[in-house]
Amino acid sequence: MVYIAPSLLAADFAELGRELRRIKRADMLHVDIMDGRFVPNLSIGPGVVEALRRRTDLFFDVHLMMEDPLPYISVFRKAGADGITFHAECGEPPQEIIAAIKASGARPGVALSPKTPVSAIGSWGEDLEQVTVMTVEPGFGGQKMLLEPLHKVIELKMRLPWVKVEVDGGVNLDTAPLCKAAGADILVAGTSVFKAEDPYLEMRCMAL
């Protein structure tokens, strides 16, 4: 089995409390933070994360799609983030970001956009606990999965065998088997979970 992380981006934002109750048996919650610069979209801020934290004990897998994430590491950790992932393509030194994440007490991770190779992870990759392989262009939910980036999952499991490899983008009942076959440990699923009549059954079917 793999871990399933419902993506908050696909939830009904007018009913977040109800949406949390619908996925209360999930393994973790994936929370996308977008700054409008790194990606052409805005999502939520630390205030929403803090409010959600008061409603659930789920592991918060916070994904910073930000050009300058460093000043926000402690902010989102204080708001309730358990794991914090930044993008390898952002504008700040990865060693400093990882150090800040580890100092905060959160689990450090890096995300690779579809066209970014695994080789973009330098020696600093030894300090990572998670790598997120983006199988859609970051910034918007509901996109169709790009299959080519799944090859990076295989490469990562060989190069960094201790890290959890997460696949984010277009994950559903049809594509989940491909992710698992490649060796993924965590599947981020948004629309397929939050739009399902029975989110728990959807997650179980993807995980098995």
Side-chain angles (χ1 to χ4, degrees):
M1 291 180 63
V2 298
Y3 295 112
I4 305 298
S7 176
L8 187 70
L9 194 63
D12 181 348
F13 273 52
E15 298 285 351
L16 287 182
R18 180 180 65 85
E19 295 283 62
L20 279 180
R21 291 191 294 273
R22 293 181 71 228
I23 62 156
K24 63 183 179 181
R25 289 189 287 180
D27 298 306
M28 57 185 70
L29 179 67
H30 188 81
V31 184
D32 287 315
I33 308 297
M34 307 178 192
D35 65 357
R37 295 174 57 210
F38 183 78
V39 293
N41 196 8
L42 292 167
S43 56
I44 61 174
V48 175
V49 175
E50 185 176 5
L52 293 170
R53 178 80 287 169
R54 293 195 293 267
R55 296 292 188 94
T56 179
D57 293 326
L58 284 174
F59 185 98
F60 279 12
D61 176 32
V62 174
H63 180 187
L64 301 182
M65 300 184 193
M66 305 177 73
E67 185 66 28
D68 303 302
L70 198 52
Y72 297 96
I73 301 301
S74 61
V75 174
F76 281 101
R77 174 58 174 162
K78 184 178 179 181
D82 297 297
I84 299 178
T85 296
F86 67 98
H87 267 266
E89 309 87 6
C90 78
E92 295 179 320
Q95 298 93 330
E96 293 183 23
I97 303 173
I98 294 171
I101 296 172
K102 293 178 72 173
S104 78
R107 184 172 77 185
V110 72
L112 302 175
S113 292
K115 295 179 183 178
T116 302
V118 172
S119 59
I121 299 176
S123 59
W124 46 268
E126 297 178 1
D127 294 319
L128 295 170
E129 295 185 37
Q130 179 175 308
V131 177
T132 299
V133 174
M134 297 295 299
T135 46
V136 298
E137 291 297 333
F140 296 91
Q143 300 181 61
K144 184 178 179 180
M145 176 180 283
L146 302 171
L147 298 181
E148 184 63 28
L150 288 178
H151 293 290
K152 288 187 278 190
V153 177
I154 301 172
E155 185 177 353
L156 283 163
K157 297 304 289 186
M158 295 176 62
R159 180 180 168 187
L160 304 173
W162 64 88
V163 304
K164 297 291 186 184
V165 179
E166 179 178 78
V167 173
D168 183 359
V171 175
N172 54 40
L173 288 175
D174 293 326
T175 58
L178 300 175
C179 302
K180 290 184 289 186
D185 302 293
I186 306 167
L187 304 182
V188 176
T191 303
S192 60
V193 170
F194 279 106
K195 306 305 180 187
E197 182 176 343
D198 185 341
Y200 179 67
L201 179 60
E202 192 81 5
M203 288 186 286
R204 289 290 295 175
C205 289
M206 281 192 283
L208 293 174

